[in-house]
Amino acid sequence: MHTPTSTPRLLFLDWLRIIAFFILVLYHVGMYYVSWDWHVKSDFASPGLEPFMLLSSPWRLGLLFLVGGAAAAMSLRRLGGRAFLRRRSLRLLLPLLFGMLVVVPPQSYFEVVEDLGFGGGYLRFMALYVQGYQDFCDGDGCLFLPTWNHLWFVPYLWAYGAVLVLLAAGGARLSHWANAAAAQLHGWKLIVLPAACLALARVSLLREFGETHMFVNDPFNHATYLFLFLLGALFAHAPHSWTRFVALRWHALALALTGWAAIVIWRALWKAEVPGIDFEAMFAPMATVYATTAWSAIAAACGFGARHLERDGPARRYLVEAVFPVYIVHQTLIVALAHWLKPARLAPGIEGVLLTVLTLTLSFAIFEAVRRIKLLRPLFGLPFGRKTRPGTKLETKMELKVEMSAKANAETGP
């Protein structure tokens, strides 16, 4: 029989998750304006924003999986395997199914309207969507329907949680592994060893398999994100490890920014097809730079977060609840709003600000409606009914003690 244990909530991880998801909203607004393929594209799309998009694209999702692994480990420790899986299934798989049937389809609809001139109307499109129609094709390939689009993160997170349950079946095994890993991951090793694992995955798997987000045929992403998820779980079992990021935060940030500059320069050279450079031979070194940049940025985020964000308040408690529903609806809102605003021919800067403001406003308006309607709450990953959430009422005193303890033990780095 599982005996629940009280696991201190690391408040800075909540803030990192919140910040990463809001960066994701900005990133998806940016996808409308860059030259990379996306569901709908601005008439003013160009490569101009791409270097700024690359500031977050190497590390943002990796950070979310790391934080997700830590949160899953703490929840598993508290609930036990069976209750953990039951709760995760309700909180993740039900919103995924609802999202694939209701939230996501407009993205594909507006895509075929703009790219293929589909004129059959939304109801006709939905009839094809649920039938698994596979003949919406253009030069970039065919749409795979039905789809989860940006919600691909959800089934991956659920599956990795199931893996964690299997690994934890041996009782103290995870704690033993966590302590063994913590004994190695300190100083320069905290940067070099995880970066080396990510680089190995990128060098050996990316060119052959790419990034599909299809789950069953996505070995590169699994090798990357499952590793980060389990690493977060190990850190959760050895919570003193988080403070080690504090001392390295400035070094990690400098390394991440240097790597970002190298990536931007390299992409410019590659696009220009500069003669005399063997781009094929440079794949492995640049893949290593990319992986090192990604992990350094994650390490910097953890360091600055542990140093400055271990604090509670009404904003954190509100945003912790809001962030998943906002994530579910935000991309559909961006795609729909971009499509509807296109005839206005607004300047890209003005239009981009409007897209961002309208997306966030409508996302939070939907959240405010959903949280008040008992039957809708589970469809957006919220508990059925309004329950006391961690960090409110019953747990406020505990979290204030955690905050005071974290401040007392924080390292005095640069």
Side-chain angles (χ1 to χ4, degrees), residues 104-114 118-123 125-126 129 143 145 335 339:
V104 167
Q107 299 177 29
S108 298
Y109 170 70
F110 288 121
E111 184 172 355
V112 298
V113 167
E114 291 203 4
F118 178 76
Y122 189 69
L123 292 180
F125 170 79
M126 281 303 299
Y129 180 90
L143 283 182
L145 302 177
V335 171
H339 177 79

Side-chain angles (χ1 to χ4, degrees), residues 196-398:
C197 292
L198 294 175
L200 179 62
R202 195 168 189 86
V203 170
S204 60
L205 297 173
L206 179 59
R207 277 193 297 187
E208 183 174 355
F209 298 102
E211 298 183 67
T212 69
H213 299 158
M214 300 283 287
F215 189 81
V216 295
N217 185 29
D218 203 10
F220 166 69
N221 275 334
H222 288 313
T224 299
Y225 295 134
L226 178 58
F227 166 73
L228 290 170
F229 182 91
L230 295 178
L231 191 60
L234 291 178
F235 286 146
H237 280 267
H240 61 279
S241 300
W242 296 109
T243 60
R244 296 175 181 173
F245 289 103
V246 176
L248 293 171
R249 65 192 188 279
W250 287 107
H251 305 83
L253 179 61
L255 193 58
L257 291 174
T258 302
W260 166 74
I263 292 168
V264 171
I265 293 170
W266 175 252
R267 287 176 61 88
L269 294 173
W270 176 69
K271 285 186 176 182
E273 298 181 348
V274 175
I277 299 178
D278 189 341
F279 291 97
E280 182 69 18
M282 289 298 294
F283 172 77
M286 288 310 301
T288 302
V289 169
Y290 194 96
T292 303
T293 301
W295 176 248
S296 298
I298 292 171
C302 291
F304 282 102
R307 180 68 177 84
H308 299 290
L309 297 178
E310 189 60 29
R311 60 187 64 188
D312 197 10
R316 184 199 67 83
R317 293 192 289 270
Y318 177 80
L319 292 172
V320 160
E321 186 180 38
V323 69
F324 190 47
V326 169
Y327 162 70
I328 290 173
V329 301
H330 83 278
Q331 182 162 295
T332 295
L333 289 173
I334 294 170
V335 171
L337 289 168
H339 177 79
W340 291 330
L341 284 173
K342 184 175 286 189
R345 303 288 295 177
L346 297 172
I350 295 173
E351 185 184 55
V353 172
L354 282 175
L355 277 177
T356 303
V357 171
L358 288 173
T359 297
L360 290 174
T361 301
L362 292 173
S363 294
F364 277 97
I366 291 170
F367 165 66
E368 285 293 333
V370 165
R371 71 194 295 231
R372 289 167 168 78
I373 302 174
K374 188 176 181 180
L375 293 178
L376 290 182
R377 289 175 61 87
L379 301 179
F380 289 85
L382 302 177
F384 190 80
R386 298 187 196 179
K387 298 181 180 179
T388 301
R389 300 186 304 278
T392 62
K393 294 183 180 178
L394 297 179
E395 296 192 14
T396 299
K397 291 183 179 180
M398 185 198 79

Side-chain angles (χ1 to χ4, degrees), residues 75-91:
S75 180
L76 175 59
R77 205 175 193 177
R78 185 175 67 253
L79 298 173
R82 187 172 300 177
F84 171 81
L85 283 177
R86 182 168 59 250
R87 181 177 178 182
R88 296 276 284 191
S89 297
L90 287 173
R91 299 287 291 273

